[in-house]
Coordinates of all heavy atoms in Angstrom, one line a residue:
L102 N 20.1 -3.7 27.1 CA 20.5 -4.1 28.4 C 22.0 -4.3 28.6 O 22.5 -4.6 29.7 CB 19.8 -5.5 28.7 CG 18.3 -5.4 28.8 CD1 17.7 -6.8 28.8 CD2 17.9 -4.6 30.1
G103 N 22.8 -4.1 27.5 CA 24.2 -4.3 27.6 C 24.6 -5.8 27.7 O 25.7 -6.1 28.2
I104 N 23.9 -6.7 27.2 CA 24.2 -8.1 27.2 C 24.7 -8.5 25.8 O 24.1 -8.3 24.8 CB 22.9 -8.9 27.5 CG1 22.3 -8.5 28.8 CG2 23.2 -10.4 27.4 CD1 21.0 -9.2 29.1
P105 N 25.9 -9.1 25.8 CA 26.5 -9.5 24.5 C 25.5 -10.5 23.8 O 24.9 -11.4 24.4 CB 27.8 -10.2 24.9 CG 28.2 -9.5 26.2 CD 26.9 -9.3 26.9
C106 N 25.4 -10.4 22.5 CA 24.5 -11.2 21.7 C 25.1 -11.5 20.3 O 25.8 -10.7 19.8 CB 23.1 -10.4 21.5 SG 21.9 -11.3 20.6
V107 N 24.8 -12.7 19.8 CA 25.2 -13.1 18.5 C 23.9 -13.7 17.8 O 23.2 -14.5 18.4 CB 26.3 -14.1 18.5 CG1 26.7 -14.6 17.1 CG2 27.6 -13.5 19.2
I108 N 23.7 -13.4 16.6 CA 22.6 -14.0 15.8 C 23.2 -15.0 14.9 O 24.2 -14.8 14.2 CB 21.9 -12.9 14.9 CG1 21.3 -11.8 15.8 CG2 20.9 -13.5 13.9 CD1 20.8 -10.6 15.0
C109 N 22.6 -16.2 14.9 CA 23.0 -17.3 14.0 C 21.8 -17.7 13.1 O 20.8 -18.1 13.6 CB 23.5 -18.5 14.8 SG 24.0 -19.9 13.8
T110 N 22.0 -17.5 11.8 CA 20.9 -17.8 10.9 C 21.4 -18.0 9.5 O 22.5 -17.7 9.2 CB 19.9 -16.6 10.9 OG1 18.7 -16.9 10.2 CG2 20.5 -15.3 10.2
D111 N 20.6 -18.7 8.7 CA 20.9 -18.9 7.3 C 20.2 -17.7 6.5 O 19.0 -17.8 6.2 CB 20.3 -20.2 6.8 CG 20.7 -20.5 5.4 OD1 21.1 -19.6 4.7 OD2 20.5 -21.6 5.0
V112 N 20.9 -16.6 6.4 CA 20.4 -15.4 5.7 C 19.9 -15.7 4.3 O 19.0 -15.0 3.9 CB 21.3 -14.2 5.8 CG1 21.6 -13.8 7.2 CG2 22.6 -14.4 5.0
H113 N 20.5 -16.6 3.6 CA 20.1 -16.9 2.2 C 18.8 -17.6 2.2 O 17.9 -17.3 1.3 CB 21.2 -17.6 1.5 CG 22.5 -16.9 1.5 ND1 22.7 -15.7 0.8 CD2 23.6 -17.0 2.3 CE1 23.9 -15.3 1.0 NE2 24.5 -16.0 1.9
H114 N 18.6 -18.6 3.1 CA 17.4 -19.3 3.1 C 16.2 -18.4 3.4 O 15.1 -18.6 2.8 CB 17.5 -20.4 4.2 CG 16.2 -21.1 4.5 ND1 15.7 -22.1 3.6 CD2 15.3 -21.0 5.5 CE1 14.5 -22.5 4.1 NE2 14.3 -21.9 5.3
H115 N 16.4 -17.5 4.3 CA 15.3 -16.6 4.7 C 15.2 -15.3 3.8 O 14.4 -14.4 4.1 CB 15.4 -16.2 6.1 CG 15.1 -17.4 7.0 ND1 13.9 -18.0 7.2 CD2 15.9 -18.0 7.9 CE1 14.0 -18.9 8.0 NE2 15.2 -19.0 8.5
H116 N 16.2 -15.2 2.9 CA 16.2 -13.9 2.1 C 16.4 -12.7 3.0 O 15.7 -11.7 2.9 CB 15.0 -13.8 1.1 CG 14.8 -15.0 0.3 ND1 15.6 -15.3 -0.8 CD2 13.9 -16.0 0.4 CE1 15.2 -16.5 -1.3 NE2 14.2 -16.9 -0.7
S117 N 17.3 -12.8 3.9 CA 17.4 -11.8 5.0 C 18.8 -11.2 5.0 O 19.4 -10.9 6.1 CB 17.2 -12.4 6.3 OG 15.9 -13.0 6.4
A118 N 19.5 -11.0 3.9 CA 20.8 -10.4 3.9 C 20.8 -9.0 4.5 O 21.8 -8.6 5.1 CB 21.3 -10.3 2.4
W119 N 19.7 -8.4 4.5 CA 19.6 -7.0 5.1 C 19.9 -7.0 6.6 O 20.3 -6.0 7.2 CB 18.1 -6.5 4.9 CG 17.1 -7.3 5.5 CD1 16.4 -8.3 4.8 CD2 16.6 -7.3 6.8 NE1 15.5 -8.9 5.7 CE2 15.6 -8.3 6.9 CE3 16.9 -6.6 7.9 CZ2 14.9 -8.6 8.1 CZ3 16.2 -6.8 9.1 CH2 15.2 -7.8 9.2
I120 N 19.7 -8.2 7.3 CA 19.9 -8.2 8.7 C 21.3 -7.9 9.1 O 21.6 -7.3 10.1 CB 19.5 -9.6 9.3 CG1 19.5 -9.6 10.8 CG2 20.4 -10.7 8.9 CD1 18.5 -8.6 11.4
K121 N 22.3 -8.2 8.2 CA 23.7 -7.9 8.5 C 23.9 -6.4 8.6 O 24.7 -6.0 9.5 CB 24.6 -8.5 7.4 CG 24.6 -10.0 7.3 CD 25.6 -10.5 6.2 CE 25.7 -12.0 6.2 NZ 26.6 -12.4 5.2
H122 N 23.2 -5.6 7.9 CA 23.3 -4.2 8.0 C 22.7 -3.6 9.3 O 23.3 -2.8 10.0 CB 22.7 -3.5 6.8 CG 23.2 -3.9 5.5 ND1 24.5 -3.7 5.1 CD2 22.6 -4.7 4.5 CE1 24.7 -4.2 3.9 NE2 23.6 -4.8 3.5
V123 N 21.6 -4.2 9.7 CA 20.9 -3.7 10.9 C 21.8 -4.2 12.1 O 22.1 -3.4 13.0 CB 19.5 -4.3 11.0 CG1 18.9 -4.0 12.4 CG2 18.6 -3.8 9.9
A124 N 22.2 -5.4 12.1 CA 23.0 -6.0 13.2 C 24.3 -5.2 13.3 O 24.8 -4.9 14.5 CB 23.3 -7.4 13.0
K125 N 24.9 -4.8 12.2 CA 26.2 -4.0 12.3 C 26.0 -2.7 13.0 O 26.8 -2.3 13.8 CB 26.7 -3.8 10.9 CG 28.0 -3.0 10.9 CD 28.5 -2.9 9.4 CE 29.9 -2.1 9.5 NZ 30.4 -1.9 8.1
Q126 N 24.8 -2.1 12.7 CA 24.5 -0.8 13.4 C 24.3 -1.0 14.9 O 24.5 -0.1 15.7 CB 23.3 -0.1 12.8 CG 23.5 0.3 11.4 CD 24.8 1.2 11.2 OE1 24.9 2.1 12.0 NE2 25.6 0.8 10.3
L127 N 23.8 -2.2 15.3 CA 23.6 -2.5 16.7 C 24.9 -3.1 17.4 O 24.9 -3.2 18.6 CB 22.5 -3.6 16.9 CG 21.1 -3.2 16.5 CD1 20.1 -4.4 16.5 CD2 20.6 -2.1 17.5
G128 N 25.9 -3.3 16.5 CA 27.1 -3.9 17.1 C 27.0 -5.4 17.4 O 27.7 -5.9 18.3
I129 N 26.1 -6.1 16.7 CA 25.8 -7.5 17.0 C 26.3 -8.3 15.8 O 25.9 -8.2 14.7 CB 24.3 -7.7 17.3 CG1 24.0 -6.9 18.6 CG2 24.0 -9.2 17.4 CD1 22.5 -6.9 18.9
P130 N 27.2 -9.3 16.1 CA 27.7 -10.2 15.0 C 26.6 -11.1 14.5 O 25.7 -11.5 15.3 CB 28.8 -11.0 15.7 CG 29.1 -10.3 17.0 CD 27.9 -9.5 17.4
V131 N 26.6 -11.4 13.2 CA 25.7 -12.4 12.6 C 26.6 -13.5 12.0 O 27.5 -13.2 11.2 CB 24.9 -11.7 11.4 CG1 24.1 -12.8 10.7 CG2 24.0 -10.6 12.0
I132 N 26.3 -14.7 12.5 CA 27.0 -15.9 11.9 C 26.1 -16.4 10.8 O 24.9 -16.8 11.1 CB 27.3 -16.9 13.0 CG1 28.1 -16.4 14.1 CG2 27.9 -18.2 12.3 CD1 29.5 -15.8 13.7
D133 N 26.5 -16.3 9.6 CA 25.7 -16.8 8.5 C 25.8 -18.3 8.3 O 26.8 -18.8 7.8 CB 26.1 -16.0 7.2 CG 25.2 -16.3 6.0 OD1 24.3 -17.1 6.2 OD2 25.5 -15.7 4.9
D134 N 24.8 -19.0 8.8 CA 24.8 -20.4 8.8 C 24.3 -20.9 7.4 O 23.2 -21.4 7.3 CB 23.9 -20.9 9.9 CG 23.8 -22.4 9.9 OD1 24.7 -23.1 9.3 OD2 22.9 -22.9 10.6
K135 N 25.2 -20.8 6.4 CA 24.8 -21.2 5.0 C 24.5 -22.7 5.0 O 25.5 -23.4 5.1 CB 25.9 -20.8 4.1 CG 26.1 -19.3 4.0 CD 27.3 -19.0 3.1 CE 27.5 -17.5 3.1 NZ 28.8 -17.1 2.5
G136 N 23.3 -23.0 4.8 CA 22.9 -24.4 4.6 C 23.1 -25.2 5.9 O 23.3 -26.4 5.8
C137 N 22.9 -24.6 7.0 CA 23.0 -25.4 8.3 C 24.3 -26.1 8.5 O 24.3 -27.3 8.7 CB 21.8 -26.3 8.4 SG 20.2 -25.4 8.4
S138 N 25.4 -25.5 8.3 CA 26.7 -26.1 8.4 C 26.9 -26.7 9.8 O 26.4 -26.2 10.8 CB 27.8 -25.2 8.0 OG 27.8 -24.1 8.9
E139 N 27.7 -27.8 9.9 CA 27.9 -28.4 11.2 C 28.6 -27.6 12.2 O 28.4 -27.7 13.4 CB 28.6 -29.7 10.9 CG 27.8 -30.8 10.3 CD 26.6 -31.2 11.1 OE1 26.8 -31.4 12.3 OE2 25.5 -31.4 10.5
D140 N 29.5 -26.7 11.7 CA 30.2 -25.9 12.7 C 29.6 -24.6 13.0 O 30.2 -23.8 13.7 CB 31.7 -25.7 12.2 CG 31.7 -24.8 11.0 OD1 30.7 -24.6 10.3 OD2 32.8 -24.2 10.7
A141 N 28.4 -24.3 12.6 CA 27.8 -23.0 12.8 C 27.7 -22.6 14.3 O 27.9 -21.5 14.7 CB 26.4 -22.9 12.1
W142 N 27.2 -23.6 15.1 CA 27.0 -23.3 16.5 C 28.4 -23.1 17.2 O 28.5 -22.2 18.1 CB 26.2 -24.4 17.2 CG 24.8 -24.3 16.7 CD1 24.1 -25.2 15.9 CD2 23.8 -23.2 16.9 NE1 22.8 -24.8 15.7 CE2 22.6 -23.6 16.3 CE3 23.9 -22.0 17.6 CZ2 21.5 -22.8 16.3 CZ3 22.8 -21.2 17.6 CH2 21.6 -21.6 17.0
E143 N 29.4 -23.9 16.8 CA 30.7 -23.6 17.4 C 31.2 -22.3 17.1 O 31.8 -21.6 17.9 CB 31.7 -24.7 16.9 CG 31.4 -26.1 17.5 CD 30.3 -26.9 16.8 OE1 29.8 -26.4 15.7 OE2 29.9 -28.0 17.3
R144 N 31.0 -21.8 15.8 CA 31.5 -20.5 15.4 C 30.7 -19.4 16.1 O 31.2 -18.4 16.5 CB 31.3 -20.3 13.9 CG 32.3 -21.1 13.1 CD 32.2 -20.9 11.6 NE 31.0 -21.4 11.0 CZ 30.1 -20.7 10.3 NH1 30.3 -19.5 10.1 NH2 29.0 -21.3 9.9
T145 N 29.4 -19.7 16.4 CA 28.6 -18.7 17.1 C 29.0 -18.6 18.5 O 29.1 -17.5 19.0 CB 27.1 -19.2 17.0 OG1 26.7 -19.3 15.6 CG2 26.2 -18.2 17.7
V146 N 29.2 -19.7 19.2 CA 29.7 -19.7 20.6 C 31.0 -18.9 20.7 O 31.2 -18.1 21.5 CB 29.8 -21.1 21.2 CG1 30.5 -21.1 22.5 CG2 28.4 -21.7 21.3
A147 N 31.9 -19.2 19.7 CA 33.2 -18.5 19.7 C 33.0 -17.0 19.5 O 33.7 -16.2 20.2 CB 34.1 -19.1 18.6
A148 N 32.1 -16.6 18.7 CA 31.9 -15.2 18.5 C 31.3 -14.6 19.7 O 31.6 -13.5 20.1 CB 30.9 -15.0 17.3
L149 N 30.4 -15.3 20.4 CA 29.8 -14.8 21.6 C 30.9 -14.6 22.7 O 30.9 -13.6 23.4 CB 28.7 -15.7 22.1 CG 28.0 -15.2 23.4 CD1 27.4 -13.8 23.2 CD2 26.9 -16.2 23.9
L150 N 31.8 -15.6 22.8 CA 32.8 -15.5 23.8 C 33.7 -14.3 23.6 O 34.2 -13.6 24.5 CB 33.7 -16.8 23.9 CG 32.9 -18.0 24.4 CD1 33.8 -19.3 24.2 CD2 32.5 -17.8 25.8
V151 N 34.0 -13.9 22.3 CA 34.7 -12.7 21.9 C 33.9 -11.5 22.4 O 34.5 -10.6 23.0 CB 35.0 -12.7 20.4 CG1 35.5 -11.3 20.0 CG2 36.0 -13.7 20.0
E152 N 32.6 -11.5 22.2 CA 31.8 -10.3 22.6 C 31.8 -10.2 24.1 O 31.8 -9.1 24.6 CB 30.4 -10.5 22.0 CG 30.3 -10.4 20.5 CD 30.8 -9.1 20.0 OE1 30.4 -8.0 20.4 OE2 31.7 -9.2 19.1
I153 N 31.7 -11.3 24.8 CA 31.7 -11.3 26.3 C 33.0 -10.7 26.8 O 33.1 -9.9 27.7 CB 31.4 -12.7 26.9 CG1 30.0 -13.1 26.6 CG2 31.8 -12.7 28.4 CD1 29.7 -14.5 26.9

Side-chain angles (χ1 to χ4, degrees):
L102 294 168
I104 301 171
C106 179
V107 176
I108 297 170
C109 181
T110 192
D111 184 347
V112 298
H113 302 286
H114 170 76
H115 292 293
H116 307 289
S117 304
W119 59 268
I120 191 63
K121 291 181 178 182
H122 303 292
V123 175
K125 182 177 180 180
Q126 295 306 311
L127 291 171
I129 295 176
V131 174
I132 303 301
D133 187 358
D134 179 17
K135 297 176 183 167
C137 299
S138 62
E139 287 298 316
D140 70 338
W142 291 113
E143 289 82 6
R144 290 183 291 124
T145 303
V146 170
L149 182 60
L150 293 174
V151 167
E152 294 302 307
I153 291 169

